[in-house]
Structure formats: structure tokens, C-alpha cells
Amino acid sequence: MRQGQVTETEVREAVRLFREPHKAKQVIAALTELQSYGTDVLFVDGDLHISGDLDLSDEEVYLLVVRGDLTVGGCYGDSDDPESFLLVTGDMRARDVVTAGWLEVHGDLHTGRLIGDYNDCSALIGGDVHAALFYGEEHWFTIDGRLDANVVIGTPRTSAECPAVLELDDVRLLEHFDRELLYADVDVDADGNPLVEVDGFRDFGAVKRRVRAGQPLHAHGRD
């Protein structure tokens, strides 16, 4: 839009595709101010393939609309400050996803690690979610289809029925995350046997950085 290839009329038509009307209302209200903030609106009429990472904040993108499928070879990321919006009318595939902004996919979402971040914004997936690991944190996920995840960490805030969940005090988190990422202490019980206690993430920022960089969360590369 900053290069004049997309008109305001086209953007207004495109955002009507949002299934949550408040998003379209918010984007339309912001259109007149986007130029002064130096952010952009991108519109793709068809499929979009990005070979590497796609971070809307890094690209200074306020809104990306893909009328088709979106494939990201690396990590997809967005932000809640400043807010960013992604609308995909087809399916989305990404190596990993770290979402703090407004994410809406009308088809299925296929990814390795799906990480939510904070609760100001939310995600809407019209189809199924397929992920190796899902940690929603405080982010809300509306999933109209099925949630198919090998590992679900914490009880996510979601409309979907969840597979078995590893709560944040479950010692089995050590099978999926390095110890330095967790509040994990080793004590002994009354009989002198080792007693391991886990109490959530010590450094959630480090978890997100590893996912964005494509690095394993566990030394043995399990996740």
C-alpha cells in the first residue's frame, strides 16, 4: 500500500473477509494513520510462499492478506505491540509459529511448534491445527476444527477439545525442555530418594527465541 500498488478501497474489501468483524473495523479505522507510522498493508491475490522467516513486525507490516495458501519455510511471527494482522483464506504451513497478534486462517494450520504469547490479541483457525508442540500461554485460540498436537503444554485457552495436557508443574516437561528454561529443583524425599519439582518456565523469552531461530527446546532435539 505504501508503494501505491494497493488502494484503500481494495483493502476495505479484503478485510471484510475477516470472520471477526471487530478486526475489519479496527483496520479500516487505522488506514488513514498507517502512512505516518511507517507500517504497510500487503495484499496477495493467490498463494504466497516465503522460503525463510516471516515476522510482520520486522517487515513493518500492519496487515497481510493472503487470498490463498500461505507457506513459510521458517518461523512465522507477529506482534501485539504494535498490533499486526494476518488473514489467510486458505491453509497455512510454517516450520514454527509464535503469535502475539491477530492471526486468522480459514483453512488448516500445519506447524512444528505453535506458541501463543500474551492475551491482548487472539488466533482463529477455521480448520484443524496440526502441531508437534502447542503452548498457548495466555493467548486465546479459536479452533473450529480439531486440535492435533503431539504435546500440549499447560491448559490452553481454546475452544477446541485438547489432547492430553502436560501441566506446568509436570516433571515430564523436562523431557521436552532444557532444565535452564524451567523452574526445576531437585530435592530428596523422606527416604532419601531424588525428588524433582517443576514450576513452569523460568525464561519464556528464551523459549520464544529458540523457536524463532529453529533451535531445539531440549538438548536431545526432541522438540
Side-chain angles (χ1 to χ4, degrees):
M1 187 173 181
R2 274 190 287 181
Q3 296 180 5
Q5 297 172 348
V6 178
T7 66
E8 183 173 326
T9 299
E10 289 173 314
V11 174
R12 287 174 177 268
E13 289 294 327
V15 298
R16 289 193 177 96
L17 296 171
F18 276 122
R19 293 184 179 173
E20 295 177 313
H22 70 88
K23 296 176 184 175
K25 183 178 180 180
Q26 185 172 338
V27 171
I28 290 172
L31 286 178
T32 58
E33 302 177 11
L34 290 180
Q35 298 293 336
S36 61
Y37 285 118
T39 56
D40 207 351
V41 171
L42 301 180
F43 178 70
V44 180
D45 192 9
D47 298 340
L48 175 62
H49 184 277
I50 304 292
S51 58
D53 297 334
L54 173 61
D55 189 293
L56 298 190
S57 296
D58 290 348
E59 300 295 332
E60 297 183 338
V61 173
Y62 176 70
L63 167 69
L64 170 60
V65 177
V66 179
R67 295 191 65 176
D69 297 336
L70 172 62
T71 302
V72 180
C75 183
Y76 167 80
D78 54 33
S79 173
D80 64 337
D81 186 20
E83 291 185 359
S84 53
F85 294 77
L86 173 64
L87 170 59
V88 179
T89 63
D91 295 334
M92 177 176 173
R93 296 178 180 271
R95 187 202 70 211
D96 298 301
V97 172
V98 180
T99 178
W102 299 103
L103 170 65
E104 182 168 320
V105 178
H106 291 173
D108 296 337
L109 172 62
H110 300 260
T111 188
R113 295 165 294 188
L114 175 57
I115 308 294
D117 188 9
Y118 203 55
N119 62 3
D120 276 358
C121 305
S122 64
L124 185 154
I125 311 301
D128 299 332
V129 170
H130 303 274
L133 181 145
F134 175 36
Y135 175 53
E137 206 244 356
E138 295 296 322
H139 209 67
W140 174 262
F141 286 81
T142 298
I143 302 173
D144 290 340
R146 184 169 56 97
L147 172 58
D148 176 20
N150 296 340
V151 182
V152 179
I153 306 300
T155 301
R157 301 177 67 228
T158 179
S159 62
E161 181 178 347
C162 289
V165 170
L166 292 184
E167 296 295 354
L168 293 176
D169 60 354
D170 194 315
V171 296
R172 289 176 294 175
L173 288 182
L174 289 165
E175 300 174 12
H176 303 279
F177 298 90
D178 285 339
R179 187 168 171 179
E180 63 263 26
L181 298 174
L182 301 167
Y183 285 109
D185 296 311
V186 179
D187 205 341
V188 292
D189 62 17
D191 298 322
N193 299 313
L195 180 64
V196 180
E197 294 183 350
V198 173
D199 188 19
F201 290 108
R202 181 187 302 273
D203 192 346
F204 182 47
V207 172
K208 293 184 289 183
R209 288 192 294 273
R210 287 198 193 186
V211 172
R212 290 189 181 105
Q215 298 172 346
L217 296 173
H218 192 276
H220 299 302
R222 180 165 182 172
D223 295 306

